[in-house]
Amino acid sequence: VSFSDYRFNPETGKEPHFDKYEVLARDGMTVLDGLLYILDNVDPTLSFRFACREGVCGSCAMFINGSYRLACQTQIKNLKSSKIEVQPLPNFPIIKDLVVDLAAFFEKVEKVMPYIKTVSAPPEKERLQTQHDRHRINEVIDCILCAACQSACPQGWTDKDFLGPAALIKAYRFIGDSRDEAAKERLKLVMGEDGVWRCHSVFNCVEACPKKINQTVAISSLKRKAVAQKLKFWQR
């Protein structure tokens, strides 16, 4: 198969371009395997991120053949093409080649306090959670912070202060967690001008998500909670 990889090194001053490589594909080979083959055997200067190889860390999210995908989970044979075009996640500053700068992305996630926060005295052993309570956050808890949804969000293209779908569903995940005691505090963080009301329900994030999370539905739920909070109706 032919790999066409996006190349750009800001330090050289050269324009971005694509380099082509021939890779001998084998059964079970992923796009990440192909990139590693190029790195090890053809071009050691190619830069890209990867870590777990299991679709858990989100490091290898890329724009592959026109779609957002995890390179480690994308089987070459399933692309049904002898030509594979690999680009970095759009709408992020490029550090080098397929590596983008995610610093601003993680800063936005940190703003919503993506962790369980309590004010009551800790229990003797642990804070219990029923299966019913866990079921409410089953889907959004699968977010691996790959940033594909953020890259695909048209609101994020024009408003750099918009929290974005990843941060908002992290807020939704902890607001919905029965063990958390900072739901109202966290909700106030996403009610502002750059929060939930900037989402226009385009569903790009849903299409881009490799974990099939419906961010738009979660954000809509946050909007309802925000209105209820404003009207003093909302209780956890």
Side-chain angles (χ1 to χ4, degrees):
V1 295
S2 174
F3 269 68
S4 183
D5 295 341
Y6 184 95
R7 306 300 305 273
F8 178 56
N9 186 350
E11 294 181 359
T12 65
K14 293 182 179 179
E15 290 294 317
H17 63 279
F18 285 88
D19 281 347
K20 293 186 178 180
Y21 308 93
E22 296 301 316
V23 175
L24 183 61
R26 52 174 171 74
D27 246 4
M29 195 175 201
T30 65
V31 170
L32 178 59
D33 291 332
L35 293 173
L36 288 168
Y37 175 88
I38 295 168
L39 182 69
D40 293 339
N41 301 285
V42 185
D43 188 348
T45 68
L46 178 64
S47 297
F48 55 93
R49 281 196 184 104
F50 73 99
C52 72
R53 304 195 192 193
E54 296 288 341
V56 176
C57 71
S59 299
C60 66
M62 301 175 191
F63 202 59
I64 301 170
N65 280 18
S67 296
Y68 292 91
R69 308 175 194 266
L70 297 178
C72 70
Q73 288 194 323
T74 304
Q75 293 280 327
I76 287 177
K77 67 177 182 180
N78 291 343
L79 292 175
K80 298 179 180 179
S81 174
S82 61
K83 297 181 179 180
I84 299 172
E85 185 176 275
V86 187
Q87 300 180 59
L89 289 177
N91 307 308
F92 285 109
I94 296 174
I95 296 175
K96 186 173 182 288
D97 298 338
L98 303 172
V99 180
V100 297
D101 187 350
L102 296 175
F105 168 74
F106 284 110
E107 285 175 7
K108 291 174 181 177
V109 174
E110 289 174 8
K111 285 181 180 180
V112 303
M113 302 188 301
Y115 44 82
I116 291 176
K117 185 176 180 181
T118 60
V119 292
S120 60
E124 184 178 343
K125 290 186 178 180
E126 61 181 305
R127 298 183 188 273
L128 299 177
Q129 186 175 57
T130 66
Q131 290 185 7
H132 173 74
D133 287 336
R134 176 60 163 75
H135 181 74
R136 292 191 301 178
I137 56 175
N138 271 353
E139 182 177 319
V140 292
I141 210 169
D142 285 340
C143 173
I144 57 175
L145 294 175
C146 67
C149 62
Q150 195 88 358
S151 174
C153 177
Q155 189 61 30
W157 304 343
T158 56
D159 184 355
K160 298 304 179 184
D161 294 324
F162 174 49
L163 285 174
L168 291 175
I169 67 165
K170 282 296 178 184
Y172 174 88
R173 176 254 184 274
F174 287 99
I175 287 172
D177 195 311
S178 60
R179 300 164 296 180
D180 184 80
E181 296 173 349
K184 292 184 179 180
E185 178 185 354
R186 192 176 286 106
L187 187 61
K188 288 180 181 178
L189 296 175
V190 302
M191 287 170 59
E193 186 175 344
D194 300 312
V196 291
W197 304 113
R198 278 287 181 260
C199 173
H200 295 168
S201 302
V202 178
F203 284 86
N204 276 21
C205 52
V206 180
E207 185 176 348
C209 181
K211 293 298 181 180
K212 309 301 180 187
I213 298 171
N214 196 324
Q215 296 97 331
T216 305
V217 166
I219 294 170
S220 295
S221 177
L222 286 178
K223 290 177 179 178
R224 290 193 296 271
K225 285 180 170 61
V227 172
Q229 172 89 323
K230 205 73 174 175
L231 298 174
K232 308 299 183 185
F233 294 153
W234 181 63
Q235 300 292 329
R236 177 192 286 283

